[in-house]
Amino acid sequence: QVQLAESGGGSVQAGGSLRLSCAASGYTSRPYCMGWFRQVPGNEREGVAVMDIDGSTKYADSVKGRFTLSKDNAKNILYLEMNSLKPEDTAMYYCGADSTRSGGFCYPSLPSKLYNYWGQGTQVTVSS
């Protein structure tokens, strides 16, 4: 049973930093794409940063230069380092994994429905 467990969310002031972690377990093979998404009530879940199986990362324009995605393959943990946080970054952040595809592209703009595994989410709140 594949499980993704997020942690690291919290409340910070604008300009602050947080690091989110996503611990993955139960995989029989590495997912093709993994990444972080965020969602606010009433909106679609949007991609923030994704990584393909070769370690190539892509970021949404709104977070480029501020967020950094990394992965510890030995521990199966995906990290999202978030700096210079803005109030508009406030959302529930989810870790997702796409293990159904074996080719193609990993972009934050691709639909979240491509991802077949999700964590429970961790809340990030940025105050002005």
Side-chain angles (χ1 to χ4, degrees):
Q1 179 72 18
V2 174
Q3 290 187 328
L4 301 175
E6 302 101 331
S7 60
S11 297
V12 297
Q13 290 191 326
S17 299
L18 285 172
R19 188 176 79 158
L20 306 184
S21 300
C22 172
S25 61
Y27 283 114
T28 55
S29 61
R30 289 169 61 192
Y32 187 70
C33 301
M34 282 191 73
W36 288 93
F37 295 73
R38 64 188 182 189
Q39 189 171 22
V40 296
N43 286 9
E44 296 280 329
R45 189 169 295 187
E46 64 172 6
V48 174
V50 297
M51 178 184 290
D52 68 19
I53 197 169
D54 294 323
S56 176
T57 56
K58 298 287 191 299
Y59 299 90
D61 288 343
S62 59
V63 306
K64 279 181 182 176
R66 300 188 298 122
F67 290 11
T68 303
L69 185 66
S70 62
K71 190 169 187 283
D72 185 329
N73 286 317
K75 296 181 180 179
N76 283 330
I77 299 177
L78 187 71
Y79 298 102
L80 184 68
E81 186 76 36
M82 305 187 295
N83 298 313
S84 302
L85 282 161
K86 304 175 181 180
E88 51 264 43
D89 294 318
T90 296
M92 184 71 79
Y93 282 70
Y94 296 92
C95 176
D98 168 13
S99 63
T100 60
R101 293 189 297 152
S102 59
F105 299 102
C106 294
Y107 286 114
S109 56
L110 292 180
S112 62
K113 63 182 180 181
L114 290 175
Y115 289 69
N116 54 321
Y117 293 112
W118 294 97
Q120 79 287 354
T122 185
Q123 178 68 36
V124 171
T125 302
V126 184
S127 58
S128 57

